[in-house]
Amino acid sequence: MAGDVFESEFDESSAPEVTKFSYLKELVNLKVRNLIDGLPFTPDGHQKAQDLLTRRYGEASEVVGTYVRNILELPTKRERNVEEIHEF
């Protein structure tokens, strides 16, 4: 379900493909990023990255679900202390 929401909000958005590719690179771990770093920073490169990740790691919804889980597991700071937020 979370993967479907991410796909509909992100993959189907009107954002340029290179922007989506940039976000994709930011969201994956280093091992996965190393797989796609050599691809050109173009719309075609973004599509090749998605195809590669789908072939290697399974269905696109599973890959996206992993991105969403990783995002949700990022640490947060709830206090409004500016100094602590900057440290964070």
Side-chain angles (χ1 to χ4, degrees):
M1 177 69 174
D4 294 337
V5 171
F6 186 85
E7 284 178 354
S8 67
E9 293 295 321
F10 183 72
D11 282 341
E12 296 175 10
S13 77
S14 60
E17 293 298 310
V18 292
T19 301
K20 293 177 188 180
F21 193 21
S22 176
Y23 286 138
L24 174 66
K25 283 184 163 189
E26 288 178 27
L27 296 175
V28 296
N29 67 35
L30 183 59
K31 179 182 174 184
V32 175
R33 189 175 310 121
N34 287 336
L35 290 172
I36 61 176
D37 263 346
L39 295 173
F41 197 66
T42 62
D44 187 50
H46 176 246
Q47 185 59 53
K48 287 180 181 179
Q50 285 187 317
D51 294 344
L52 174 66
L53 295 176
T54 300
R55 279 194 314 271
R56 184 149 189 158
Y57 295 104
E59 292 298 315
S61 61
E62 291 177 30
V63 173
V64 170
T66 301
Y67 297 152
V68 172
R69 279 190 298 283
N70 287 340
I71 290 169
L72 294 175
E73 291 171 0
L74 288 172
T76 58
K77 194 71 174 170
R78 297 190 184 264
E79 297 176 24
R80 294 180 187 244
N81 183 324
V82 174
E83 186 175 308
E84 289 185 21
I85 291 173
H86 284 281
E87 265 182 49
F88 180 70

